[in-house]
Amino acid sequence: MNSLKNMKLPPTKAISGAINLIVGGSVLTYAAANSLFNVEGGHRAIVFNRFVGIKDTVYEEGTHIMIPWVERVMDYDVRAKPNMITSTSGSRDLQMVNISLRVLTRPVPSQLPLIYRTLGTDYAERVLPSIIQETLKSVVAQYNASQLITMREVVSREIRNSLTKRALQFNLVLDDVSITALTFGKEYTAAIEAKQVAQQDAERAKFVVDKAIQDKRSAIIRAEGEALSAKLIGEAIQNNPAFLALRRIEAARDISTTIANSQNRVFLNTDSLLMNMNAIDTQSMPTKSARRSWFGRSKAPKSIINADDEAVASAKP
C-alpha cells in the first residue's frame, strides 16, 4: 500500500493533451475519408445538404469534394435501361388487343435535382407504367384489328412519338420504343382462321370450276376433231375404195417393223400381218399421182409414197 501511495501520476495537462490529439486525429481521419466521393462512368450525382437541401449542381464522372456529415450524395445511373410493359387495349372495331412494349429510358442529366425532388430515385416505376398504358390505349383505339397487323410500323411510330412527348414532361428520354408482341382474343383469332379457311375453299372451288370449263372445251375440241377426221376418212373411202387397201398396207408395214426390231422370233402368216396380198384388189390401187392428190403434193412425204409404190408393185402378179 505504501508503494501505491508513493507512485507519481503523470500531469493532468499531458493526459488531456493526449486525449485531444487522439480525438483530433480521429476527426481528421474521418473527415479525410468521407470528404471525397467518386462518380462512376455512365453515372451522375447530386448532393443533399442538411442546411440548404438539394443542390442544383450535377456532378459528372470523377472525384469530388463534399462536407462530411453535412452533405450526402445521391448517385443516378443515366444510361438507357429497358422496361417491358404489357397492356390490354380495345381497337376501333371493339376487339381486345394484348400489346407488349419495350422501351429504353434514361433521365435527363441536367434535370436530376428536379427529378429527385418530384419523383425520387425510382422515377421509372412511378412514371412509365401510367404513361405507357394511357398512350397505348389512345393509339390502339384509332385503328382496326386488321390495321394493327398490316400497319404495324405506322402504329409503332405513332406510339413512339406520343410516348416521347409525354416522357419529356417528366424529364425522361426514350431512346427506343418497339412492339415485341401483338396478340388478339381467342374469338377474333378463331374468326381469322375461319376466314382464311373459307377463302382457301373458295379458291379451291374456283380452280375446280375453271378446270371443268377447260376439260369441257378440250372434250368439245377433241370431239370436233374426231368428227372431222371421221368425215374425211368416210369421204376418202367413198371416193376411192383403194384407200382401205392403202391403210392395210401401212398397218402391215408397222407390224412387220415392230416384229423385226424385237429380240424374239415370231413366225406369222400373212393373214396375221394383214399382208394377204392375194386378197387385195391391185387393180383398184391408186397410182402415184392419185396418192399425191389425196395427201397433197406439199404434205405427202416422198419416202411414204415410194414405199407405197414398192408395196403395190410387189402385190401385182
Side-chain angles (χ1 to χ4, degrees), residues 182-201:
L182 180 63
T183 58
F184 299 93
K186 296 181 179 179
E187 295 80 5
Y188 185 75
T189 304
I192 292 178
E193 293 178 355
K195 180 180 178 181
Q196 294 296 327
V197 172
Q199 290 179 350
Q200 293 178 1
D201 292 340

Side-chain angles (χ1 to χ4, degrees), residues 135 154 156-166 177:
T135 302
V154 177
S156 178
R157 183 168 59 250
E158 187 170 349
I159 292 174
R160 180 168 59 251
N161 295 336
S162 300
L163 274 179
T164 301
K165 294 178 181 178
R166 289 298 309 277
V177 177

Side-chain angles (χ1 to χ4, degrees), residues 34-197:
N34 293 274
S35 62
L36 299 177
F37 66 93
N38 294 326
V39 179
E40 303 294 335
H43 290 243
R44 297 293 185 272
I46 59 175
V47 173
F48 171 77
N49 190 286
R50 295 181 184 273
F51 301 105
V52 298
I54 296 293
K55 291 184 177 180
D56 294 332
T57 304
V58 178
Y59 296 89
E60 298 186 354
E61 302 168 2
T63 302
H64 306 276
I65 299 175
M66 70 174 183
I67 302 174
W69 187 80
V70 176
E71 295 180 341
R72 185 175 74 253
V73 177
M74 273 76 70
D75 186 82
Y76 275 87
D77 187 354
V78 295
R79 294 172 293 188
K81 294 181 180 180
N83 294 273
M84 293 291 299
I85 304 294
T86 302
S87 173
T88 301
S89 307
S91 62
R92 190 169 63 180
D93 53 354
L94 304 180
Q95 298 295 334
M96 300 308 297
V97 184
N98 298 319
I99 300 181
S100 294
L101 202 67
R102 182 179 184 270
V103 295
L104 292 177
T105 61
R106 58 183 176 85
V108 179
S110 61
Q111 300 298 323
L112 286 178
L114 180 60
I115 292 175
Y116 183 80
R117 290 190 185 101
T118 56
L119 301 175
T121 56
D122 55 345
Y123 55 89
E125 290 76 8
R126 291 172 179 264
V127 174
L128 290 180
S130 59
I131 65 174
I132 290 178
Q133 293 282 353
E134 180 184 356
T135 302
L136 284 178
K137 293 181 184 300
S138 63
V139 173
V140 171
Q142 302 175 13
Y143 297 91
N144 294 331
S146 59
Q147 292 177 335
L148 293 175
I149 299 176
T150 58
M151 303 173 61
R152 181 167 180 168
E153 183 178 355
V154 177
V155 175
S156 178
R157 183 168 59 250
E158 187 170 349
I159 292 174
R160 180 168 59 251
N161 295 336
S162 300
L163 274 179
T164 301
K165 294 178 181 178
R166 289 298 309 277
L168 283 177
Q169 299 176 2
F170 298 93
N171 300 306
L172 299 179
V173 178
L174 300 185
D175 292 333
D176 181 67
V177 177
S178 59
I179 298 175
T180 58
L182 180 63
T183 58
F184 299 93
K186 296 181 179 179
E187 295 80 5
Y188 185 75
T189 304
I192 292 178
E193 293 178 355
K195 180 180 178 181
Q196 294 296 327
V197 172

Side-chain angles (χ1 to χ4, degrees), residues 251-267:
R253 182 176 56 195
D254 294 339
I255 294 173
S256 61
T257 301
T258 303
I259 295 176
N261 294 331
S262 177
Q263 295 181 357
N264 300 326
R265 293 295 179 264
V266 180
F267 296 94

Side-chain angles (χ1 to χ4, degrees), residues 240-247 249 280-288 290-291 294 308 311-313 315-316:
N240 195 334
F243 180 77
L244 290 178
L246 181 61
R247 285 299 180 90
I249 294 173
I280 298 176
D281 185 8
T282 57
Q283 298 299 327
S284 63
M285 292 297 293
T287 61
K288 183 176 182 179
R291 290 194 300 276
W294 290 353
D308 293 342
V312 171
K316 291 183 179 180

